[in-house]
Amino acid sequence: MGPLNLFKGEGNTVLRRLVQLYLGLALYGFSMALMIRADLGLDPWDVFHQGLNSLIGVSFGTVTMIVGAVVLLLWIPLRQKPGLGTVSNVVVIGLSVDAGLDVLPAVHALAPRILLMVAAIVLNGLAGGAYIGARLGPGPRDGLMTGICARTGRSVRLIRTAIEISVLLTGVALGGSFGVGTVAYALSIGPLVQFFLPRLTVGEPAPRSSAWSEA
């Protein structure tokens, strides 16, 4: 039975979308915390967040909320419209990453750190596909990705990877740290989102236009 057949009726579809949205957002923040605890390099956006954190001195989660709000301004020329998921993204991910850091202990041995890194990247891709697929509005950063895809007709894989690399370089310039996990994330997150998104889109098939094709 496919994922779209698990819930019957319009009311249950709405419920499915809400549950998927908030579980996806919470998992996204938790996967960020896993990446931080792995200590093998942050994902590109978190390198950027860390660089800003060193400048303004607020909690990591608060920095993600601030950046999310600012990125929304970039939606204006892309004619993207925010939704419930967009507003929720700004708040829930920031709270979730702070909560994850509170409950996850520091890990020192290399093998479990590698496992944490791999789990963080895969769960991040799954979470991104889940909350975007709920179709209640992508997060600020993912709305930037989908907006550029729609305007250019290029693939999620290409656009997401280009954004991640650009953000990484900016974060390093601001003093953020990076490592092998950063490179692994930057190269794999686009393909992972492209894999999970069609399988988790609720209510209608994910777009089959060139935006979702091989670039």
Side-chain angles (χ1 to χ4, degrees):
M1 180 179 293
L4 300 185
N5 294 324
L6 295 177
F7 292 81
K8 302 289 186 180
E10 182 177 350
N12 284 332
T13 299
V14 173
L15 176 62
R16 156 73 187 272
R17 292 167 66 188
L18 288 169
V19 171
Q20 182 170 310
L21 168 68
Y22 287 106
L23 285 178
L25 292 176
L27 181 61
Y28 196 97
F30 185 75
S31 70
M32 290 169 61
L34 286 174
M35 196 74 171
I36 293 169
R37 288 291 184 247
D39 196 24
L40 290 170
L42 301 176
D43 69 74
W45 277 104
D46 286 342
V47 174
F48 181 64
H49 295 150
Q50 185 185 55
L52 284 181
N53 178 261
S54 66
L55 295 178
I56 62 180
V58 297
S59 78
F60 200 92
T62 301
V63 170
T64 67
M65 294 184 204
I66 293 171
V67 171
V70 172
V71 170
L72 279 176
L73 296 176
L74 299 178
W75 285 31
I76 297 173
L78 296 174
R79 298 179 182 177
Q80 290 282 88
K81 295 181 180 180
L84 175 64
T86 309
V87 178
S88 298
N89 182 290
V90 173
V91 178
V92 175
I93 288 180
L95 295 176
S96 179
V97 67
D98 278 347
L101 292 173
D102 286 341
V103 301
L104 291 170
V107 179
H108 303 290
L110 180 60
R113 288 167 58 200
I114 292 174
L115 291 175
L116 285 179
M117 179 194 74
V118 173
I121 294 173
V122 174
L123 290 177
N124 195 273
L126 171 63
Y131 74 73
I132 296 172
R135 297 194 303 114
L136 290 169
R141 300 160 188 80
D142 291 299
L144 181 64
M145 173 189 71
T146 56
I148 294 175
C149 286
R151 299 284 285 184
T152 65
R154 307 309 296 269
S155 75
V156 169
R157 179 182 304 176
L158 176 65
I159 297 302
R160 181 64 182 260
T161 301
I163 290 173
E164 297 293 332
I165 292 174
S166 300
V167 167
L168 170 61
L169 294 176
T170 305
V172 171
L174 290 173
S177 61
F178 68 99
V180 64
T182 310
V183 177
Y185 184 97
L187 295 178
S188 61
I189 193 61
L192 281 169
V193 173
Q194 185 162 313
F195 173 81
F196 285 117
L197 183 56
R199 293 161 173 80
L200 292 172
T201 298
V202 182
E204 62 182 26
R208 295 296 181 182
S209 67
S210 59
W212 307 100
S213 63
E214 300 287 337

